[in-house]
Amino acid sequence: MNEEANCGEGEGSFEPRSILITGGAGFIGSHVLNRVLEAFPDTKVVVMDNLSYCASTKNLDSALKHPNCSFVHGNITSSDLVVYVLEKEEVDCVLHFAAETHVDNSFGNSFRFTETNVMGTHVLLEACKRMNGQILRFIHVSTDEVYGESLGAESFMEESVLEPTNPYAASKAAAEFMAKAYHRSFKVPVIITRGNNVYGPRQYPEKIIPKFIHQMMRNSPLTVHGDGSTRRNMLYVSDVADAFVTILRHAVPGQTINIGGNEELSVLEIASAILDAFGRNKTPGQETWLNFVEDRKFNDTRYNIDKRKLHELGWRQKVDFTTGLSTTLEWYKANQNHWGSIEHALVAHPRVFGEDNSHEPPRPPLTSGR
């Protein structure tokens, strides 16, 4: 966004009065919610979530004990509901996490990704436009995957051309363009973030680290796409939550900011670290714990993003991968039933729900954890 302004650490600090967090019952959203409640104890925070298969009210257990936190069960594609919440709660800041995010699922049910990620974002932006200046920040959460794969030493800057290679990434890129248009034409105060892979407690086990952990706890081999050579930067979720508080305080409308980590690992390196944690690399025949399966239709080699803008705002990564993985592993061991039945997510190729756009994975009970 070429209207971007610079805002370094200490150059003013935005203090929200009332925040709407969409997708706040999901993995990243719930961690950001807890961090926001700590950072802004006098700020009202409203969570809106449709409680899809990878969200749960269990993730809100601690947050809903806070007197300034409330929950709305609803879908961001419902314009009337979104407008009602913005008006009733006098929201001045939106943190937009609600999205379909699992790349594998997007190959089979791409329409759902368009509906949630593009149409849902459009509904939110239009509702914010109608607030006539009430909204002071709209933080749109995107992904490093919108850049496409990086080759060699190439590092993507926020101004790099977007070249998404799968339906999920394409839907997030489309949502970004909608957000940019509303910023330019209607002055909706949009800030876009593009983040690396995130891991930590409470992540639904379709993603690589919790999936591998659950497979190990079931004495099942780890399912590795292709030859396992694809690489990802892994960020522990508390560092990501800190990044969003930093961005909320110090970034200004018009900015796009990468949230990048320092530890790039191949899938095989991640698998080896988890095998080590379970003592499986210390015995003969450890290769039997790896099950190489068919790769994705297109699997980006790596995403190397430049994170200088976020560093200029004062953020630094604090949790190294060894520490983060250990904490994550202990949480999953202690909370094996957090997600209920997850067997469908742990097979070599999870069933691609909704290829006819009529099915979805099971949802947790609406009353769980309340």
Side-chain angles (χ1 to χ4, degrees):
M1 287 184 277
N2 54 18
E3 294 89 344
E4 179 179 310
N6 291 322
C7 181
E9 185 178 20
E11 293 184 15
S13 181
F14 175 67
E15 294 288 329
R17 297 187 307 274
S18 179
I19 301 174
L20 171 64
I21 301 182
T22 71
F27 166 51
I28 301 176
S30 65
H31 282 275
V32 173
L33 167 65
N34 290 337
R35 183 69 185 90
V36 163
L37 289 169
E38 294 174 0
F40 306 101
D42 299 322
T43 298
K44 180 165 55 176
V45 183
V46 183
V47 173
M48 179 183 288
D49 202 297
N50 70 347
L51 297 177
S52 69
Y53 74 99
C54 57
S56 172
T57 51
K58 290 180 182 180
N59 294 340
L60 303 176
D61 279 351
S62 61
L64 290 178
K65 296 175 183 177
H66 195 289
N68 291 340
C69 183
S70 59
F71 174 68
V72 175
H73 180 204
N75 198 306
I76 58 170
T77 60
S78 174
S79 178
D80 289 344
L81 178 60
V82 172
V83 169
Y84 172 77
V85 171
L86 294 178
E87 290 179 339
K88 178 179 181 292
E89 303 296 343
E90 299 180 320
V91 169
D92 66 349
C93 175
V94 175
L95 295 176
H96 177 31
F97 289 91
E100 295 280 353
T101 64
H102 191 42
V103 175
D104 289 353
N105 289 343
S106 78
F107 286 115
N109 188 4
S110 55
F111 291 158
R112 188 182 302 279
F113 283 69
T114 301
E115 178 185 7
T116 300
N117 299 352
V118 184
M119 187 62 185
T121 300
H122 193 175
V123 169
L124 282 171
L125 290 164
E126 181 66 19
C128 289
K129 184 193 79 172
R130 291 174 56 183
M131 293 300 104
N132 296 317
Q134 174 181 307
I135 307 301
L136 303 178
R137 294 290 188 278
F138 185 106
I139 298 179
H140 175 69
V141 182
S142 191
T143 171
D144 58 5
E145 295 197 37
V146 298
Y147 292 118
E149 66 177 353
S150 54
L151 303 172
E154 178 184 14
S155 182
F156 288 120
M157 309 285 290
E158 287 84 352
E159 298 77 20
S160 297
V161 175
L162 306 188
E163 297 282 359
T165 62
N166 59 68
Y168 159 62
S171 72
K172 294 299 282 186
E176 280 196 32
F177 282 116
M178 190 65 71
K180 290 180 180 182
Y182 268 74
H183 174 69
R184 288 169 175 153
S185 295
F186 306 117
K187 309 306 178 187
V188 176
V190 169
I191 298 165
I192 293 173
T193 69
R194 298 174 183 148
N196 281 154
N197 284 45
V198 185
Y199 71 98
R202 304 203 296 268
Q203 188 172 32
Y204 189 74
E206 64 190 358
K207 300 301 177 87
I208 181 171
I209 287 179
K211 182 174 184 174
F212 281 178
I213 289 173
H214 275 278
Q215 287 174 332
M216 278 287 92
M217 289 192 296
R218 288 159 171 74
N219 289 315
S220 298
L222 308 184
T223 51
V224 177
H225 278 133
D227 62 4
S229 63
T230 55
R231 305 183 67 80
R232 298 291 185 264
N233 259 302
M234 307 301 296
L235 266 174
Y236 188 66
V237 68
S238 66
D239 279 333
V240 175
D242 285 343
F244 278 102
V245 169
T246 298
I247 289 166
L248 179 55
R249 279 184 165 144
H250 299 299
V252 296
Q255 285 188 302
T256 299
I257 299 174
N258 289 332
I259 301 176
N262 301 322
E263 293 178 284
E264 187 180 63
L265 301 165
S266 71
V267 171
L268 282 180
E269 288 171 332
I270 294 170
S272 181
I274 291 174
L275 289 173
D276 280 341
F278 280 87
R280 300 280 160 75
N281 269 346
K282 299 180 174 64
T283 58
Q286 65 263 30
E287 65 277 359
T288 62
W289 292 107
L290 297 178
N291 178 21
F292 293 91
V293 300
E294 182 183 355
D295 208 348
R296 290 171 174 166
K297 302 295 183 184
F298 189 92
N299 201 347
D300 294 326
T301 304
R302 62 195 292 258
Y303 307 110
N304 186 29
I305 60 177
D306 187 283
K307 52 247 185 211
R308 281 175 290 181
K309 278 190 184 179
L310 184 55
H311 286 180
E312 289 170 0
L313 297 183
W315 177 88
R316 294 293 187 278
Q317 180 178 341
K318 298 175 183 176
V319 182
D320 63 82
F321 183 72
T322 300
T323 302
L325 181 61
S326 175
T327 303
T328 301
L329 177 59
E330 291 308 310
W331 186 88
Y332 280 101
K333 284 181 176 179
N335 296 273
Q336 295 189 37
N337 296 318
H338 183 80
W339 290 109
S341 177
I342 57 169
E343 301 308 315
H344 63 278
L346 303 182
V347 297
H349 281 287
R351 62 185 179 90
V352 180
F353 57 91
E355 289 205 53
D356 60 356
N357 297 310
S358 63
H359 301 90
E360 64 178 12
R363 297 185 179 191
L366 297 186
T367 56
S368 62
R370 293 302 302 275

